[in-house]
């Protein structure tokens, strides 16, 4: 067997490959050189530098597997790999411990003021009184995002005898219980924590999650740590929180713009910063390399890999048959999850009309991809979404029905959470996905752009009031429709708008007399 390693991967993994294959290490290749070298290889090992594009994959006559020594697979064309029956494997947990340890390092740096004391002593000062610290034992740590890294941080904080609470609407109670961590609301976490640490992905929903309002809700003298992604914290609000003394300190490994040249945060004397070092340890690099190389060898030996990104491969003939419905499925998932509140417990999908006779595993997985992608960090795709959902304790049921109403095909998606239940119907009209029902209200909506959904009493003047609130905030309405089940009951108003509807505008609409609920969806 012949394997090409085209990025700098730790030698520990390469030595494992060499026990079973002939390995060529060639980094910094041009696309043409890569295409030439890949022709007679059975496997390819990369980090993030090599771009494994469709034309590279097409040129690879014998390629069976691509290994990524790390988590993100954005540099690999997954669709092209799957089409050619090439398995892609990665090492998703490789840096979790490393990032968690960095987080603990930052918590201790803030509590004991180590970086400041270090600089002072290096400047020939002996300021023992100035650097009086605090113990972290007995303090409350609020973990936002209890995934791979957040869970590791929770474990380590417990060893330091901290009280650990967490906010993560998407993990099971069982997972939190195993970690002896109490799941709380975001508001409770903000108001009770002495230290708050972020371990969530950066998505439309989490962008600016920690802003002025959230900082105001924190305890006076709280500390904030961000080893996740820059945009999650509003840097201007953080600057004000630190400058005013509301927050005692913050530690950042990540920034909105990296490197953070001329970032005012760096001028503050109650902030600890590191240059995106969270995952940078020898062990994480070795771990990523060893795991990815072992996974590659498993595939070459025809054994099932543990961390496949695109398995099981769907037979090309099945994929061809269902491919036109995949955008409908993914859009339906993405749309519906934005209407829900709480932790998802059950997802039930009913395929109707001409969909009845199709093999719908890939459609279900695409729906799950749409649901999970805004929640999980990297690597959610239509091949692994089913496994990821089941790992999170979500029950999934599929059903079929002949009757598809006025449409040739229809998918009914029912998502139950710990707090509510949402039912959305979708159809493929020609080549275009449409949302045709929300909780029993008939609508006809292209799931695109910014959408505002308002449930209100069926009485005169409601539309005008909502429209003028949007107008007051300079938000232009693109289209508007209403649906109702009976006269004088409730009505569902669905608007497409030209700009994002910020929370303060939703809140203002919510306060209008007769409005029952307001939801925003971004597609
Ligand atoms: P993960 O997918 O395992 O966990 C993310 C968790 O966040 C999940 O449990 C999910 O349910 C939860 N979540 C999603 N949206 C949420 C929301 N709105 N509110 C609360 N919880 C929410 O990811 P991970 O591997 O633990 O990575 C966490 C973060 O760390 C990511 O942002 C990742 O990019 C970052 N990271 C940083 C470094 C670094 O060098 N500093 C290295 C690796 C990862």
């Amino acid at each position: 067997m012949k394997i090409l390693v085209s990025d700098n991967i730790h030698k520990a993994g390469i030595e494992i490959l060499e026990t079973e294959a002939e390995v060529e290490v060639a980094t910094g290749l041009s696309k043409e050189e890569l295409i030439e070298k890949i022709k007679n290889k059975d496997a390819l090992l990369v980090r993030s530098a090599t771009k494994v594009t469709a034309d590279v994959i097409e040129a690879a006559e014998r390629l069976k597997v691509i290994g990524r020594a790390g988590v993100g697979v954005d540099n690999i064309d997954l669709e092209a790999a799957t089409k050619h029956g090439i398995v892609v494997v990665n090492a998703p947990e490789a840096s979790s411990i490393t990032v968690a340890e960095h987080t603990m390092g930052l918590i201790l740096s803030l509590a004991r003021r180590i970086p400041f004391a270090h600089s002072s002593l290096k400047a020939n000062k002996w300021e023992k009184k100035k650097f009086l610290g605090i113990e972290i034992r007995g303090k409350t740590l609020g973990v936002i995002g209890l995934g791979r890294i957040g869970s590791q941080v929770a474990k380590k904080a417990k060893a330091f005898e901290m009280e650990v609470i967490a906010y993560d609407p998407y993990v099971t109670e069982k997972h939190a219980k195993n970690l002896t961590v109490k799941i709380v609301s975001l508001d409770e976490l903000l108001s009770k924590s002495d230290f708050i640490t972020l371990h969530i992905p950066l998505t439309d929903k989490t962008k600016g999650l920690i802003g002025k309002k959230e900082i105001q809700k924190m305890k006076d003298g709280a500390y904030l740590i961000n080893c996740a992604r820059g945009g999650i914290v509003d840097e201007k609000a953080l600057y004000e929180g630190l400058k005013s003394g509301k927050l005692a300190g913050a530690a950042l490994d990540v920034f909105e713009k990296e490197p953070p040249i001329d970032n005012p945060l760096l001028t503050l004397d109650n902030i600890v910063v590191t240059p995106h070092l969270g995952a940078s340890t020898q062990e994480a690099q070795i771990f990523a390399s060893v795991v990815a190389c072992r996974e590659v060898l498993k595939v070459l030996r025809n054994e099932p890999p543990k961390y496949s990104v695109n398995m099981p491969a769907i037979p090309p003939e099945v994929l061809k048959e269902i491919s036109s419905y995949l955008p409908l499925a993914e859009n339906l998932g993405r749309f519906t999850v934005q209407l829900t509140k709480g932790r998802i417990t059950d997802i039930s999908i009913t395929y109707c009309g001409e969909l009845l006779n199709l093999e719908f595993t890939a459609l279900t997985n695409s729906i799950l991809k749409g649901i999970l992608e805004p929640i999980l960090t990297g690597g959610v795709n239509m091949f692994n979404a089913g496994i990821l959902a089941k790992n999170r304790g979500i029950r999934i049921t599929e059903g079929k029905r002949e009757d598809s109403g006025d449409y040739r095909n229809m998918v009914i998606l029912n998502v139950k959470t710990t707090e509510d239940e949402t039912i959305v119907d979708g159809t493929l009209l020609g080549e275009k996905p449409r949302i045709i029902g929300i909780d029993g209200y008939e609508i006809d909506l292209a799931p695109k752009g910014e959408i505002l959904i308002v449930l209100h009493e069926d009485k005169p003047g409601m539309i005008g009031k909502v429209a003028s609130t949007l107008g007051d905030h300079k938000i232009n309405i693109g289209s508007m429709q209403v649906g109702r089940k009976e006269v004088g009951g409730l009505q569902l108003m669905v608007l497409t708008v030209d700009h994002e509807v910020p929370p303060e505008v939703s809140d203002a609409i919510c306060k209008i007399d007769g409005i029952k609920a307001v939801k925003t969806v971004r597609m």
Side-chain angles (χ1 to χ4, degrees):
M1 284 181 300
K2 290 187 162 70
I3 300 178
L4 176 66
V5 177
S6 62
D7 284 332
N8 282 318
I9 284 167
H10 197 279
K11 65 177 187 328
I14 298 176
E15 283 165 10
I16 294 174
L17 294 178
E18 281 170 344
T19 59
E20 295 189 35
E22 192 184 302
V23 183
E24 180 180 355
V25 180
T27 56
L29 296 176
S30 67
K31 190 170 183 171
E32 293 68 34
E33 289 167 331
L34 179 61
I35 286 179
E36 192 48 43
K37 286 202 184 289
I38 199 82
K39 275 190 180 144
N40 64 345
K41 300 294 189 298
D42 299 281
L44 171 68
L45 250 302
V46 299
R47 275 181 68 180
S48 53
T50 301
K51 304 289 170 243
V52 192
T53 51
D55 38 355
V56 171
I57 287 168
E58 260 144 42
E61 290 154 15
R62 289 172 39 175
L63 200 65
K64 294 172 194 72
V65 51
I66 301 167
R68 155 78 165 103
V71 192
V73 284
D74 326 348
N75 55 321
I76 302 169
D77 187 329
L78 285 182
E79 231 180 279
T82 309
K83 212 169 93 194
H84 288 80
I86 297 166
V87 182
V88 180
V89 290
N90 67 347
E93 281 150 20
S95 61
S96 305
I97 304 266
T98 282
V99 182
E101 287 185 2
H102 195 71
T103 306
M104 292 313 293
L106 293 176
I107 292 174
L108 289 168
S109 297
L110 288 168
R112 302 304 300 272
R113 316 198 60 199
I114 298 168
F116 314 114
H118 170 88
S119 307
S120 153
L121 187 50
K122 294 266 278 188
N124 285 323
K125 293 183 203 156
W126 187 255
E127 301 178 295
K128 273 175 79 77
K129 278 202 185 114
K130 187 172 172 192
F131 298 116
L132 183 71
I134 55 164
E135 279 189 356
I136 61 170
R137 179 186 58 156
K139 300 289 184 305
T140 299
L141 174 69
V143 180
I144 302 186
L146 204 57
R148 288 182 293 243
I149 298 171
S151 300
Q152 288 297 337
V153 171
K155 274 192 205 165
K156 291 175 198 332
K158 285 265 163 182
F160 277 96
E161 299 177 53
M162 296 185 88
E163 296 292 327
V164 185
I165 55 177
Y167 168 65
D168 187 331
Y170 311 108
V171 291
T172 59
E173 290 288 342
K174 193 169 153 217
H175 175 67
K177 217 165 142 197
N178 286 343
L179 291 165
T180 56
V181 167
K182 190 174 169 224
I183 294 284
V184 295
S185 66
L186 180 59
D187 277 358
E188 190 176 341
L189 183 141
L190 295 173
S191 64
K192 287 199 172 150
S193 302
D194 301 295
F195 292 83
I196 295 174
T197 182
L198 303 171
H199 302 288
I200 51 179
L202 174 64
T203 63
D204 278 349
K205 217 168 168 177
T206 62
K207 190 163 180 257
L209 183 79
I210 302 299
K212 197 172 167 189
K213 228 168 53 189
E214 288 69 30
I215 291 174
Q216 275 317 314
K217 287 180 185 165
M218 290 178 193
K219 266 187 176 178
D220 289 342
Y223 293 90
L224 180 72
I225 300 98
N226 187 7
C227 278
R229 282 291 177 266
I232 300 169
V233 178
D234 175 344
E235 289 187 351
K236 204 165 155 254
L238 178 62
Y239 178 88
E240 280 156 19
L242 288 166
K243 187 89 184 158
S244 67
K246 164 76 188 170
L247 295 179
L252 304 178
D253 184 46
V254 288
F255 302 86
E256 266 171 27
K257 197 172 137 243
E258 294 180 5
I261 308 292
D262 296 330
N263 187 325
L265 282 168
L266 302 190
T267 63
L268 296 170
D269 56 10
N270 50 355
I271 190 158
V272 176
V273 288
T274 48
H276 207 139
L277 288 184
S280 298
T281 60
Q282 291 177 16
E283 288 81 356
Q285 282 180 18
I286 294 173
F287 194 19
S289 169
V290 167
V291 170
C293 291
R294 285 201 179 128
E295 291 289 284
V296 161
L297 288 182
K298 273 194 210 162
V299 177
L300 291 179
R301 285 192 224 113
N302 278 328
E303 291 168 19
K306 189 171 171 199
Y307 302 116
S308 159
V309 178
N310 65 341
M311 280 271 279
I314 295 167
E317 60 282 5
V318 175
L319 204 59
K320 201 169 161 202
E321 210 176 32
I322 55 148
S323 60
S324 55
Y325 293 103
L326 294 175
L328 164 68
E330 196 176 326
N331 272 299
L332 192 59
R334 191 179 305 268
F335 183 89
T336 309
V337 73
Q338 296 181 63
L339 301 180
T340 65
K341 205 172 151 204
R343 182 176 63 75
I344 300 170
T345 55
D346 293 87
I347 295 173
S348 136
I349 306 157
T350 311
Y351 295 99
C352 315
E354 62 187 16
L355 289 167
L356 268 190
N357 304 320
L358 297 181
E359 147 63 43
F360 29 71
T361 312
L363 288 180
T364 296
N365 270 2
S366 288
I367 292 177
L368 297 175
K369 174 178 185 260
I371 292 176
L372 293 178
E373 211 162 38
I375 297 171
L376 299 180
T377 311
V380 184
N381 55 60
M382 61 179 270
F383 307 100
N384 65 4
I387 300 162
L388 290 176
K390 280 181 193 145
N391 285 348
R392 298 207 143 228
I394 301 173
R395 279 180 296 271
I396 297 151
T397 45
E398 290 169 324
K400 35 188 183 173
R401 207 176 79 183
E402 257 175 49
D403 177 21
S404 54
D406 297 338
Y407 301 90
R408 289 164 65 112
N409 61 72
M410 179 166 69
V411 184
I412 306 170
L413 174 60
N414 180 324
V415 179
K416 277 198 193 117
T417 73
T418 43
E419 294 182 36
D420 58 20
E421 178 174 3
T422 308
I423 305 171
V424 179
D425 312 329
T427 189
L428 190 71
L429 218 61
E431 288 184 353
K432 296 200 169 112
R434 311 286 297 187
I435 302 293
I436 51 172
I438 301 175
D439 291 335
Y441 293 95
E442 282 182 23
I443 56 160
D444 178 15
L445 174 77
K448 266 198 290 195
E450 305 283 343
I451 300 160
L452 183 71
I453 297 169
V454 184
L455 186 67
H456 59 90
E457 286 170 12
D458 181 13
K459 61 180 186 185
M462 298 307 295
I463 294 170
K465 285 180 191 162
V466 171
S468 66
T469 309
L470 288 171
D472 291 347
H473 291 86
K474 310 231 168 331
I475 297 173
N476 193 37
I477 299 171
S479 72
M480 202 268 297
Q481 53 183 302
V482 286
R484 65 182 171 190
K485 295 179 193 169
E486 63 194 354
V487 179
L490 293 177
Q491 254 188 344
L492 193 77
M493 191 190 309
V494 180
L495 303 113
T496 60
V497 285
D498 293 348
H499 304 284
E500 186 184 350
V501 179
E504 58 273 21
V505 180
S506 308
D507 290 350
I509 295 173
C510 229
K511 284 188 190 128
I512 299 172
D513 181 40
I515 300 287
K516 299 291 179 199
V518 179
K519 305 245 163 101
T520 53
V521 173
R522 169 179 277 192
M523 297 296 291

